[in-house]
Amino acid sequence: MSLIQRIKTFARSPQGQRTIEQARRAATDPRRRAQARGLLARLRGRR
């Protein structure tokens, strides 16, 4: 089974659906968004 196929299978499973929903909620949280922006800025700065 290819990696993409395994990801699709996981995304369709109940656990995958819960994980996707948690990620969506985290993406709307301003504090989490700021953390993500800071992490990306640090990663981009190291190049």
Side-chain angles (χ1 to χ4, degrees), residues 12-26:
R12 291 184 189 120
S13 71
Q15 183 181 3
Q17 290 296 312
R18 281 192 300 271
T19 303
I20 291 168
E21 186 56 36
Q22 286 174 348
R24 284 187 179 133
R25 278 196 307 269

Side-chain angles (χ1 to χ4, degrees), residues 2-21:
S2 72
L3 179 61
I4 299 300
Q5 188 60 40
R6 284 189 281 176
I7 292 170
K8 286 180 183 180
T9 303
F10 175 74
R12 291 184 189 120
S13 71
Q15 183 181 3
Q17 290 296 312
R18 281 192 300 271
T19 303
I20 291 168
E21 186 56 36

